[in-house]
Structures are given as structure tokens and as C-alpha cells.
Amino acid sequence: MTARQRALCDYAAKMTREPASMTAADLNPLREAGLSDEAILDVVEVAAYFNYINRVADALGIDPEPK
Amino acid sequence: MAWIKTVGPSDAEGALRAEYEAAIRRAGKVFNILKIQSLNPGTLRASMQLYQATMHAPSELTRVEREMIATVVSQVNHCFY
């Protein structure tokens, strides 16, 4: 895993587990990995979308896809 | 089985039918995450639009990076779907 990928994964995990604990400092590893503000927004939107859709799936007892 | 009613592709009409047809054009089938929202085609449509905007619109993030973020979020949420 690259440093950039690690930064993306760590950020997404923390933002999922502890959204109320997020601070401006949490963006530093993303900036150090070269992300612009536009890319940071995209990270947040992707992570937030999956938090939303996970809840929809789990709350309604979604069936796994057939193999 | 899902815990609320769902409307299958063969029974879909109107706005829901349009969403299912778009899904089939995009992905070849109607995935369960669409069917689970089938009682409200309006929110289903908005959800699919947000999915497209976040995962498929141009971005500095690569497709792989976006899929990685999605996977991490789902794992942390213990969502296996």
C-alpha cells in the first residue's frame, strides 16, 4: 500500500468510527499525500455516501447478491 | 429476505421501472441495493445519482482509490453487502 492509499484508508476509517472527533489536523496526511481541497471533498463524499448506503442496507436486511 | 416489501423488475412501473432500466443499462442487472429502496423511487433515484456523482464523475481520486475508501467504510461498519 502506498502512503497515499494508507492516508485515504486511515482517514475513511476514522471519519466512519468517530465523525464527531474529526479536526482540521486529520486533513494533514491527505494534504501531505498531495490531495487538493477538491480531492479531499471527493474523499469525504465517497466515505459519507458509503456510510449512508451501509445503513440503508443493514437497517432493511438486504440479501447478499446471488453468486 | 429483506425486511420490507420490495418491487421486483417484472412488477416495476413508472418511475421505478425507469430506474431499473437505467440500472440494467449501467450494470446489466438490478442489484439488491436498488430493490431494497424500490418503495420510494424518488429516493432511489437520488441515491443512484449521488452514487454516480461520487464514484464515477471526474476526480483527482482514481477509481481504485474510491473503491478502496468504499471498502474501508463498509468494513468498519461491518456491512458485508
Side-chain angles (χ1 to χ4, degrees):
Chain A
M1 186 177 282
T2 66
R4 179 181 162 109
Q5 289 170 335
R6 166 104 270 151
L8 292 173
C9 289
D10 288 350
Y11 182 87
K14 185 178 178 193
M15 178 264 203
T16 297
R17 286 195 184 97
E18 306 169 61
S21 303
M22 300 305 277
T23 68
D26 288 305
L27 300 181
N28 291 343
L30 298 179
R31 295 197 199 286
E32 284 157 24
L35 272 76
S36 65
D37 281 6
E38 286 81 359
I40 288 168
L41 176 60
D42 290 350
V43 171
V44 171
E45 294 276 17
V46 170
Y49 179 82
F50 278 86
N51 273 283
Y52 148 71
I53 206 67
N54 286 170
R55 281 157 176 74
V56 170
D58 286 345
L60 298 174
I62 200 169
D63 298 305
E65 293 297 324
K67 295 224 184 296
Chain B
M1 288 295 293
W3 301 332
I4 60 170
K5 290 188 312 236
T6 60
V7 180
S10 53
D11 298 318
E13 295 174 344
L16 181 62
R17 177 162 217 93
E19 289 310 309
Y20 280 179
E21 287 171 354
I24 290 166
R25 283 194 301 272
R26 282 191 309 263
K29 63 177 281 192
V30 180
F31 284 96
N32 287 342
I33 194 61
L34 281 90
K35 294 180 195 170
I36 202 75
Q37 300 177 79
S38 57
L39 295 181
N40 191 328
T43 54
L44 171 60
R45 180 172 163 78
S47 180
M48 291 299 101
Q49 287 176 330
L50 185 55
Y51 172 78
Q52 289 294 316
T54 56
M55 296 300 282
H56 292 283
S59 172
E60 292 167 38
L61 301 181
T62 66
R63 185 64 213 263
V64 167
E65 286 171 341
R66 288 184 266 187
E67 292 286 353
M68 191 180 339
I69 292 164
T71 301
V72 166
V73 168
S74 301
Q75 284 177 342
V76 170
N77 284 325
H78 303 290
C79 179
F80 301 107
Y81 174 78

